Amino acid sequence: MNHVLSKIAEVIKQDFKDAKWKKEMSNPLTALSKEIKDCEGAVKRAQQLTDRQKLLKKEFEKEFREAKSMAEKRKEHVKLAEEAGKEELAAAALREYTYYSGRTERLEITIREAEAQLKDLEHQQEQITFKLKDLQLKRLEYMAKENAVKGEKQASFMLNPEQVTDEDRRFMQIDQYLKSEEKKKEVLTIDEQIEELKHEN
């Protein structure tokens, strides 16, 4: 029997959770808040990618300067070795000059690509940031609208009781019932205390 009751309790609990989730998702403000949270995460990731790309670009530029410097140095060494008649040394210097010259050209292309990629990332980050600002403004506008509607409804209850809907009446009836039940409990508690006093005497 306890097992059956436990299962029923679990089903009721799950139904309540589902109903609560549906209610939250049907609320535009809840959906908007979720979208803002997702957008904030996207802005953060975009910022991280942009920062990483900047570091990579700096690293490529450093490698480019080093390769260019080595290419110029080896070019001078080739000339000096040839003038001195050191053919093997001149050949070794030439090989390194060829390697560093090729590396310099390759890094030039890489830097241009990194710059283009960085611009794209910065543009994407800007667009996501704009979207986030728009969503935050939309949330404020919705909250203001919701606040105004609540104010109008409250004023309507006070000034025009005949305009109260069936749903509003049901809500008020439930509210009154709960309040009366609370009163009953208070009265019952007092009665019980009086009974205890009688038994004590």
Side-chain angles (χ1 to χ4, degrees):
M1 185 67 179
N2 285 338
H3 178 66
V4 174
L5 289 172
S6 297
K7 285 191 85 173
I8 291 168
E10 282 299 315
V11 170
I12 292 167
K13 198 185 287 182
Q14 190 58 47
D15 285 347
F16 178 74
K17 281 182 184 175
D18 291 345
K20 189 180 177 187
W21 181 82
K22 282 175 186 173
K23 186 181 176 185
E24 284 176 355
M25 293 316 290
S26 67
N27 184 347
L29 195 57
T30 304
L32 196 57
S33 294
K34 186 185 181 303
E35 196 175 351
I36 287 169
K37 191 177 178 183
D38 292 343
C39 202
E40 284 171 343
V43 168
K44 190 178 177 183
R45 287 191 296 275
Q47 180 66 60
Q48 288 170 344
L49 288 169
T50 302
D51 291 344
R52 188 164 178 262
Q53 190 70 10
K54 284 177 182 175
L55 288 172
L56 287 168
K57 183 174 168 283
K58 281 184 182 178
E59 194 62 33
F60 291 141
E61 287 167 345
K62 180 188 167 190
E63 290 287 331
F64 170 79
R65 288 192 297 272
E66 288 176 1
K68 190 177 181 184
S69 174
M70 283 299 294
E72 288 170 357
K73 190 190 285 186
R74 289 295 179 255
K75 186 179 181 181
E76 186 64 29
H77 291 168
V78 170
K79 187 180 176 185
L80 289 171
E82 283 177 344
E83 286 172 356
K86 303 286 184 180
E87 291 180 12
E88 284 186 19
L89 183 59
L94 182 61
R95 284 194 299 274
E96 286 201 12
Y97 165 72
T98 304
Y99 168 75
Y100 284 113
S101 292
R103 187 175 172 83
T104 302
E105 289 172 10
R106 183 178 155 195
L107 281 163
E108 272 184 316
I109 294 165
T110 304
I111 289 166
R112 283 199 296 271
E113 288 173 351
E115 282 173 349
Q117 289 161 355
L118 179 58
K119 281 180 184 176
D120 285 343
L121 284 167
E122 285 173 338
H123 179 68
Q124 286 172 27
Q125 184 185 346
E126 185 181 60
Q127 292 303 308
I128 296 166
T129 303
F130 288 159
K131 185 184 177 184
L132 177 60
K133 287 180 184 294
D134 287 343
L135 287 170
Q136 287 169 337
L137 178 61
K138 192 176 176 182
R139 179 170 61 180
L140 288 173
E141 288 170 346
Y142 182 83
M143 286 168 74
K145 188 178 177 182
E146 191 180 54
N147 199 46
V149 168
K150 282 181 181 176
E152 284 173 16
K153 202 168 186 180
Q154 190 173 352
S156 177
F157 286 167
M158 299 296 289
L159 301 172
N160 303 303
E162 69 277 0
Q163 289 183 4
V164 177
T165 64
D166 290 339
E167 191 178 331
D168 294 330
R169 284 193 193 90
R170 277 198 300 276
F171 176 78
M172 286 187 281
Q173 283 170 359
I174 291 166
D175 191 46
Q176 285 169 359
Y177 172 76
L178 291 172
K179 282 176 183 175
S180 67
E181 284 297 304
E182 285 297 319
K183 274 192 175 182
K184 280 180 188 176
K185 283 180 185 176
E186 286 173 19
V187 171
L188 188 65
T189 306
I190 291 166
D191 288 341
E192 285 172 352
Q193 287 175 4
I194 296 296
E195 283 299 316
E196 282 179 12
L197 285 172
K198 283 179 182 177
H199 288 301
E200 283 174 13
N201 296 331

